[in-house]
Amino acid sequence: MTETVLVTGGTGYVAGWVVVGLLERGYEVRTTVRSPERERAVRDAVAAVTAPGDRLSFAVADLTADEGWDAAMAGVDHVLHVASPLGDENTRDAEALIVPARDGTLRVLRAATAAGVKRVVMTSAANAASPSSYTEEGVTDETLWTDPDDPTLIPYRRSKTVAEKAAWDFIAGHEGPTTLTTILPGAVFGPILTTRNLGSVRIIERMVAGKMPGTPRIGLEIVDVRDLADVHIRAMTSPEAAGQRFLATGEFTWMREVAQALRAGLGPAGAKVPTRQLPDVVVRFASLFDRQLRAITVSLGRRNRHSTEKAKRVLGWQPRPAAETVVDCARSLIDRRVVQVRGSSVPGSL
């Protein structure tokens, strides 16, 4: 009998690819949306990659409210909790991020355990398993927990850490059959399914459109959204994954290397991508007037990396190279006219 998987937040960037991955593997998929009007957008996005047939259904449920979650879980074998009601990750008010992230996670877990779901796989973040300050260089793994009480943490990092800790605390007090696994991704890029909810992909959009004067000396651990979907599904089905955290951070890449990959991969369409590296002093000065820059200045020149050895060993996960990911991401942005470029074609366009 085909198993049914519930994916939270089907309109999201990552959730959309998780839905695609599950459908391609033959699962019955139910995904949550905040209103019935959003169903068509999800169907159209998924249909651009795979034919869902009658195996895709919807449940109306919001992470900020109790209504709808019990019905969403009816007959479900597994839950992939990908959604997060975080909004703008540069929000100054920590509680505005922490409360909905933590409470939404607990709503999902309460409904899942009540329904006897086999496993919940939750999307956390690599910055929930990172040195608090980011001033220390080195390689860390899943055994490290970010200190949520560190006053220097930006609200986004604190909210992701608090939400994951709340999930583990909840499951520790649960005596039923439901198990928990968490996935901790890095910077998520790759092809888009829809022009809504672009999130971190906006960085690539800005680079290809020539909206950046240069690249800051910042390194990103780039994971392809398709590989992130894959590791969620592997964690869902692996017996050894029960009760485990898995980092899914991808390849460490300096932003200047991202720019060089875009220039090489896009040909003339990448002509506006800036390859000049900005001096740190320029970035620090600009951060005085740009709150988004202010949050990253502490990471200038640092090689803070995470080990993905555990996901590769336990789950057999093999992420693709970062250069392939960012070029595929840019091509999809051009194809969907999020970015306007000269010329009518892009090499290798999706």
Side-chain angles (χ1 to χ4, degrees):
M1 182 179 295
T2 303
E3 291 187 312
T4 299
V5 183
L6 178 71
V7 180
T8 62
T11 57
Y13 176 44
V14 176
W17 279 105
V18 170
V19 169
V20 167
L22 288 165
L23 290 169
E24 289 179 338
R25 289 164 173 82
Y27 289 97
E28 298 279 345
V29 182
R30 184 181 304 156
T31 187
T32 62
V33 289
R34 285 183 288 176
S35 67
E37 292 75 23
R38 295 173 179 254
E39 293 182 15
R40 175 50 55 189
V42 178
R43 283 196 180 277
D44 290 346
V46 170
V49 181
T50 189
D54 60 358
R55 291 185 294 112
L56 177 61
S57 61
F58 295 86
V60 177
D62 190 322
L63 289 173
T64 62
D66 293 333
E67 294 77 18
W69 287 105
D70 289 340
M73 296 290 173
V76 167
D77 297 285
H78 307 281
V79 175
L80 300 184
H81 177 37
V82 184
S84 179
L86 292 180
D88 180 6
E89 65 181 47
N90 296 292
T91 300
R92 298 185 190 186
D93 182 5
E95 289 303 305
L97 298 182
I98 291 171
V99 173
R102 179 193 61 215
D103 293 357
T105 294
L106 293 177
R107 284 188 175 93
V108 171
L109 285 170
R110 280 194 292 266
T113 53
V117 166
K118 297 174 184 177
R119 179 168 300 166
V120 176
V121 180
M122 172 189 171
T123 311
S124 181
N127 59 26
S130 304
S132 294
S133 67
Y134 272 126
T135 58
E136 307 165 23
E137 294 197 17
V139 180
T140 55
D141 62 20
E142 295 88 350
T143 61
L144 177 66
W145 275 92
T146 299
D147 178 8
D149 297 322
D150 186 327
T152 66
L153 288 186
I154 61 172
Y156 175 74
R157 288 191 64 195
R158 181 175 287 117
S159 70
K160 298 300 285 187
T161 306
V162 168
E164 189 188 350
K165 278 186 173 289
W168 286 115
D169 289 343
F170 176 92
I171 213 70
H174 172 66
E175 297 181 356
T178 305
T179 60
L180 176 67
T181 302
T182 56
I183 303 296
L184 288 66
V188 184
F189 299 120
I192 62 171
L193 293 174
T194 173
T195 57
R196 300 181 180 183
N197 301 324
L198 296 183
S200 57
V201 170
R202 286 291 184 192
I203 297 174
I204 305 299
E205 181 265 330
R206 287 176 58 82
M207 295 179 79
V208 177
K211 296 178 181 178
M212 295 172 60
T215 58
R217 203 161 56 101
I218 296 292
L220 304 171
E221 291 177 297
I222 295 174
V223 61
D224 193 291
V225 67
R226 296 163 292 187
D227 296 331
L228 183 56
D230 175 62
V231 77
H232 276 77
I233 299 169
R234 288 173 181 268
M236 180 185 81
T237 58
S238 169
E240 294 81 8
Q244 300 293 324
R245 308 173 87 199
F246 291 97
L247 280 158
T249 48
E251 182 181 357
F252 182 93
T253 309
W254 295 107
M255 285 195 67
R256 188 178 185 183
E257 294 173 329
V258 171
Q260 291 167 341
L262 291 171
R263 278 287 188 101
L266 296 178
K272 292 183 179 180
V273 176
T275 56
R276 180 173 70 96
Q277 185 161 283
L278 297 173
D280 292 354
V281 65
V282 171
V283 178
R284 289 194 174 95
F285 178 76
S287 73
L288 298 175
F289 311 97
D290 187 331
R291 187 158 47 89
Q292 293 181 345
L293 281 178
R294 204 171 307 150
I296 67 171
T297 53
V298 70
S299 301
L300 285 169
R302 302 289 179 180
R303 286 179 55 85
N304 300 102
R305 290 155 292 157
H306 298 83
S307 171
T308 57
E309 186 276 334
K310 183 177 177 181
K312 293 173 180 177
R313 171 174 48 83
V314 177
L315 304 178
W317 186 57
Q318 290 296 329
R320 70 199 72 198
E324 178 182 338
T325 294
V326 298
V327 171
D328 283 355
C329 180
R331 286 170 178 159
S332 72
L333 290 169
I334 293 168
D335 285 349
R336 292 178 177 273
R337 302 191 180 279
V338 176
V339 183
Q340 301 290 330
V341 298
R342 293 181 181 178
S344 58
S345 63
V346 181
S349 185
L350 295 173

